[in-house]
């Protein structure tokens, strides 16, 4: 518990005793001391409590105005709000409520005090009432119990009750039933409360089983905040994972997505195995991490999942529909964010999102698209930089975290059901990495299946995953399951003495690096030096995986209804307009490109015409200029050169963006036409500038249209040739 939380509680305990609230009357110090009994520096906090109590009692004695209590609560609430985050404010309110409840039900004055504190903490009235009722055990009186989840032991029914049970289960539903999770061996019941406004999950247990939240013992009757990745355990009780709990609240009304792979494998021809046979089954609402060292096949596996690479064997299905055979039905279902930036660097943040949205939502008006873009910018936390140009990673206009969030936003705005992200935290600071991962966790909570690959996650990021897949060298899968259980699994196989200890008992952090350390542990020679040979080869880890983890009886996903997507492909004409506008704005935003494009032709004309201008002693006459044929030949060469230089990189520069947009099944014809129209227009301007400058110097005013037609048609030919080269080559170098 952070120090500001403890300081806040000492503040509130002292204020409660000074106001002579029933539970704290003359025994606030005892309550504070009992609360601090397991806290280091407890004496320091008790002294702090005494100082606060003395301060509040003196202030109340000196000023007996009727509104003083309310004023003191407001003043303290505002002070604490500047120091505590919302979850910490809830912890303070919970602990204060539990302290009041030590003396029985809440009195009117205590209830008023708690409601005032909650109001100053900016906790909504609905969440405050739900929390106080939950703490007092009054939830049975609620008519709407949709925010409650009960975990209990399954009831056994006798054969005489089966007929009545069938009728009860199949009668028309009236009202809202409790959400229930069953666990064999659980004595009593666990109640879970979802505070919808604060988006927080609370836990309370009543019973005699010994339960633990991660490694902290859960005392019966007390309230606990459940955080991402936590596990509820008990003796002879199957674990309850956070993802299972949160899925009951956030995804209850959304169509289920099941991504299933059966014995999928891939190889790089003669180069060896890319991915060894691997089976999996993941559902919507999960955040899945692919973990492993460099070069083990994490990115390759993602490219198999998005359909870019063909499978050597096996099948991948979404709700029973094959990824390769049913491409049309699965259109728009998958979003893919590669590791590299897929942004137009000359456009602003808003323009990148807007023109992407125009290609995703062809059946929407401009106002509707603008609304979606503004909402996406708000969700990504990019409001302050919406009008900044993206720029290159080198000129550092946007931070790495902002660029990564923008890349993810380009996919999120079209609402894919399955989101694949390649190395979202690569090159980011710990703060930016955590912010990006929280964004992806939020998408999973909204019902998406999010799969990412990540090299070495921090402890906080590791807890966000619902499950992880661990790959070893050669593309061998060696683990698939809960991330916290993974630590226990590898430590057990490696015969660690503390195999049951998944996290640090003092700070609660998970040493995520130990998984790879155990995987890649090397043998030791007689001198105690490390050898190059590993203790266990990837093939052995793979064998252990198949023996201990791989489920051979995974249910086959039957074909089920796929969610509808609001995105729709615009018409070919509208696509061409969007491509043209986006291309034109990106060119206008590049000052260096504009200078070269519009000064190159007249400068070359000036040089060429000046050196081919032939003057006699009697002066210059165009009809007597013997260098005109050479000038015309060089002018044609210049037109070819200019036409090629402006077109040779057009498609190559867009290649990665085209790969992302390939999931939209956009028209290649519209894209090429937009490029051709732009290049022809630019070539028309360039050749006109060339002809005007050259012919004015040479004194040939009458043949400007004829010269321009020849050079313009030549430049157009060069444009088409350059586009073909750009489309067929990976680089112009």
């Amino acid at each position: 518990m952070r120090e500001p939380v403890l300081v806040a509680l000492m503040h509130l305990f002292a204020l409660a005793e000074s106001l002579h609230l029933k539970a704290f009357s003359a025994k606030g110090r005892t309550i504070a001391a009992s609360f601090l009994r397991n806290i280091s520096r407890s004496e320091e906090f008790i002294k702090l409590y005494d100082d606060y109590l003395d301060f509040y009692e003196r202030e109340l004695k000196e000023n007996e105005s009727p509104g003083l209590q309310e004023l003191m609560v407001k003043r303290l609430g505002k002070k604490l709000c500047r120091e505590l985050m919302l979850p910490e404010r809830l912890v303070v309110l919970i602990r204060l409520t539990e302290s009041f409840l030590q003396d029985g039900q809440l009195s009117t004055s205590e209830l008023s005090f708690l409601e005032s504190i909650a109001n100053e903490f900016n906790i909504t009235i609905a969440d405050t009432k739900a929390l106080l009722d939950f703490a007092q055990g009054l939830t049975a009186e609620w008519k709407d119990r949709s925010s409650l989840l009960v975990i209990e032991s399954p009831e056994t029914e006798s054969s005489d009750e089966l007929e009545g049970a069938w009728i009860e289960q199949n009668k028309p539903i009236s009202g809202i039933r409790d959400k229930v999770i069953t666990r064999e061996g659980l004595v009593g019941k666990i109640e879970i409360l979802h505070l919808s406004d604060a988006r927080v999950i609370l836990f309370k247990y009543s019973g005699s089983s010994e339960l633990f939240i991660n490694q902290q013992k859960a005392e019966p009757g007390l309230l606990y905040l459940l955080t991402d990745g936590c596990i509820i355990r008990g003796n002879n009780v199957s674990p309850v994972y956070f993802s299972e709990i949160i899925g009951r609240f956030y995804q209850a009304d959304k169509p289920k997505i099941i991504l299933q792979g059966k014995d999928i494998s891939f190889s790089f021809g003669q180069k060896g195995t890319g991915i060894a046979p691997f089976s999996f089954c993941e559902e919507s609402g999960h955040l899945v991490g692919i973990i492993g060292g460099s070069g083990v096949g994490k990115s390759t596996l993602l490219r198999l999942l998005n359909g870019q690479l063909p499978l050597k064997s096996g099948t991948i299905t979404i709700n029973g529909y094959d990824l390769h055979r049913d491409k049309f039905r699965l259109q728009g279902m998958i979003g893919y964010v590669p590791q590299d930036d897929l942004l137009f660097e000359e456009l602003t943040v808003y323009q990148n999102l807007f023109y992407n949205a125009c290609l995703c939502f062809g059946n929407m008006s401009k106002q509707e698209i603008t609304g979606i873009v503004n909402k996406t910018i708000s969700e990504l936390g990019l409001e302050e930089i919406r009008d900044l140009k993206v720029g290159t990673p080198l000129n550092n206009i946007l931070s790495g975290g902002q660029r990564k969030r923008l890349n993810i936003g380009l996919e999120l705005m079209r609402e894919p059901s399955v989101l694949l992200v390649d190395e979202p935290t690569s090159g980011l600071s710990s703060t930016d990495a955590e912010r990006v991962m929280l964004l992806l966790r939020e998408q999973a909570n909204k019902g998406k299946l999010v799969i990412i690959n990540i090299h070495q996650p921090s402890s906080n990021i590791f807890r966000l995953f619902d499950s992880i897949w661990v790959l070893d060298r050669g593309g061998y899968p060696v683990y698939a399951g809960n991330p916290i259980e993974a630590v226990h699994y590898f430590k057990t196989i490696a015969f660690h003495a503390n195999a049951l200890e998944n996290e640090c008992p003092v700070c609660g952090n998970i040493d995520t690096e130990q998984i790879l350390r155990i995987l890649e542990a090397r043998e030791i020679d007689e001198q105690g030096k490390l050898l190059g040979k590993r203790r266990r080869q990837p093939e052995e880890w793979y064998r252990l995986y198949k023996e201990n983890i791989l489920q051979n009886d995974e249910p086959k996903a039957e074909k089920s209804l796929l969610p509808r997507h609001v995105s729709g492909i615009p018409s070919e004409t509208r696509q061409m307009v969007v491509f043209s506008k986006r291309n034109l704005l990106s060119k206008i935003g590049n000052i260096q490109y504009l200078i070269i494009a519009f000064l190159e032709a007249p400068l070359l004309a000036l040089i060429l015409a000046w050196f081919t201008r032939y003057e006699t002693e009697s002066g210059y006459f165009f009809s007597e200029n013997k260098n005109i044929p050479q000038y015309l030949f060089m002018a044609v060469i210049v037109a070819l050169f200019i036409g090629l230089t402006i077109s040779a990189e057009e498609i190559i520069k867009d290649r990665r963006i085209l790969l992302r947009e390939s999931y939209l099944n956009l028209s290649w014809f519209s894209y090429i036409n937009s490029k051709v129209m732009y290049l022809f227009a630019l070539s028309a301007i360039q050749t006109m500038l060339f002809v005007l400058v050259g012919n004015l110097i040479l004194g040939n005013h009458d043949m400007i249209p004829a010269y321009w037609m020849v050079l313009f048609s030549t430049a157009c030919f060069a444009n088409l040739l350059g586009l073909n080269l750009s489309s067929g080559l990976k680089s112009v170098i």
Side-chain angles (χ1 to χ4, degrees), residues 151-197:
I151 304 174
E152 59 187 2
S153 178
E155 296 180 2
T156 56
E157 296 178 318
S158 65
S159 58
D160 296 335
E161 296 173 317
L162 290 178
E163 183 178 348
W166 186 92
I167 295 173
E168 183 68 23
Q169 291 171 5
N170 290 276
K171 72 179 183 180
I173 297 175
S174 59
I176 299 175
R177 295 181 177 179
D178 283 344
K179 300 180 176 72
V180 178
I181 295 175
T182 58
R183 284 295 185 271
E184 293 280 357
L186 179 64
V187 180
K189 70 174 181 178
I190 298 169
E191 287 185 294
I192 305 292
L193 174 65
H194 174 227
L195 298 180
S196 56
D197 294 330

Side-chain angles (χ1 to χ4, degrees), residues 207-225:
S208 57
S209 294
E210 191 175 41
L211 297 182
F212 295 86
I213 302 174
N214 292 336
Q215 292 185 338
Q216 178 187 6
K217 185 177 180 181
E219 299 292 344
L222 297 186
L223 272 61
Y224 298 88
L225 253 70

Side-chain angles (χ1 to χ4, degrees), residues 211-218 230-233 463 484 487-488 491 498-510:
L211 297 182
F212 295 86
I213 302 174
N214 292 336
Q215 292 185 338
Q216 178 187 6
K217 185 177 180 181
C230 69
I231 305 175
I232 302 170
R233 304 175 186 273
R463 290 183 182 277
I484 310 298
V487 180
H488 168 62
K491 289 171 73 173
N498 62 341
L500 294 177
E501 191 176 280
N502 298 329
E503 57 188 37
C504 174
V506 178
C507 65
N509 285 337
I510 301 170

Side-chain angles (χ1 to χ4, degrees), residues 4-18:
V5 178
L6 292 173
V7 172
L9 284 169
M10 295 304 104
H11 255 300
L12 291 168
F13 286 165
L15 180 57
E17 180 167 352
S18 65

Side-chain angles (χ1 to χ4, degrees), residues 263-311:
D263 295 326
I264 67 168
S265 66
F266 176 77
S267 64
F268 294 100
Q270 302 298 324
K271 297 180 181 179
T273 303
I275 297 293
F278 177 43
S279 296
F280 59 86
C281 185
E282 296 291 347
E283 298 181 357
S284 52
H286 285 191
L287 176 60
V288 182
I290 306 174
I291 294 177
S294 299
V296 299
K298 301 189 298 294
S299 295
T300 300
L301 181 54
L302 276 188
R303 293 174 67 193
L304 288 175
L305 296 179
N306 67 22
Q308 283 185 23
L309 295 177
L311 294 170

Side-chain angles (χ1 to χ4, degrees), residues 539-686:
E539 293 82 359
E540 185 178 353
W541 281 112
Y542 182 51
R543 177 183 61 79
L544 292 170
Y545 159 76
K546 290 192 289 185
E547 291 175 358
N548 300 322
I549 296 175
L550 183 62
Q551 298 294 324
N552 295 319
D553 56 347
E554 285 183 351
K556 183 179 179 181
E558 300 293 336
K559 287 189 176 181
S560 58
L561 192 65
L562 294 169
R564 294 186 61 185
H565 287 80
V566 296
S567 58
I569 301 174
S571 65
E572 290 189 352
T573 303
R574 187 171 177 181
Q575 288 182 49
M576 187 169 64
V577 171
V578 173
F579 284 134
S580 299
K581 286 182 178 179
R582 185 176 68 178
N583 186 52
L584 182 61
L585 284 174
S586 67
K587 296 297 190 291
I588 292 174
N590 189 338
I591 303 300
Q592 181 179 335
Y593 174 87
L594 292 177
I595 292 173
I596 294 174
F598 290 108
L599 290 183
E600 180 182 28
L603 282 175
L604 288 173
L606 175 65
I607 295 169
L608 186 58
W610 181 261
F611 284 103
T612 56
R613 180 184 170 97
Y614 178 75
E615 292 190 29
T616 62
E617 294 180 357
S618 57
Y620 174 77
F621 298 96
F622 175 74
S623 59
E624 297 179 2
N625 192 341
K626 299 178 181 180
N627 296 326
I628 294 301
Q630 291 88 334
Y631 170 80
L632 290 175
F633 175 76
M634 292 301 299
V636 170
I637 298 298
V638 167
L640 285 170
F641 170 75
I642 293 176
L644 282 170
T645 55
I646 64 173
S647 62
E649 284 192 329
E650 280 296 310
I651 298 177
I652 289 175
K653 287 194 299 184
D654 292 351
R655 194 179 299 280
R656 289 179 300 174
I657 294 173
L658 291 173
L659 178 62
R660 172 172 59 79
E661 292 177 346
S662 65
Y663 296 103
L664 302 176
N665 293 322
L666 299 174
S667 168
W668 178 254
F669 177 77
S670 298
Y671 172 78
I672 289 296
N673 272 352
S674 70
K675 290 291 185 182
V676 170
M677 289 171 58
Y678 165 75
L679 291 172
F680 280 12
L682 180 58
S683 292
I685 297 172
Q686 288 180 315

Side-chain angles (χ1 to χ4, degrees), residues 452-494:
I452 73 167
N453 75 43
I454 188 167
H455 179 64
Q456 196 63 63
S458 66
S459 175
N460 289 340
I461 290 176
F462 194 73
R463 290 183 182 277
L464 296 177
F465 293 118
D466 297 305
S467 60
I468 61 171
W469 303 341
V470 182
L471 297 182
D472 202 356
R473 282 187 300 177
Y476 287 99
V478 296
Y479 180 83
N482 183 269
I484 310 298
E485 299 285 357
V487 180
H488 168 62
Y489 171 77
F490 285 103
K491 289 171 73 173
T492 300
I493 290 181

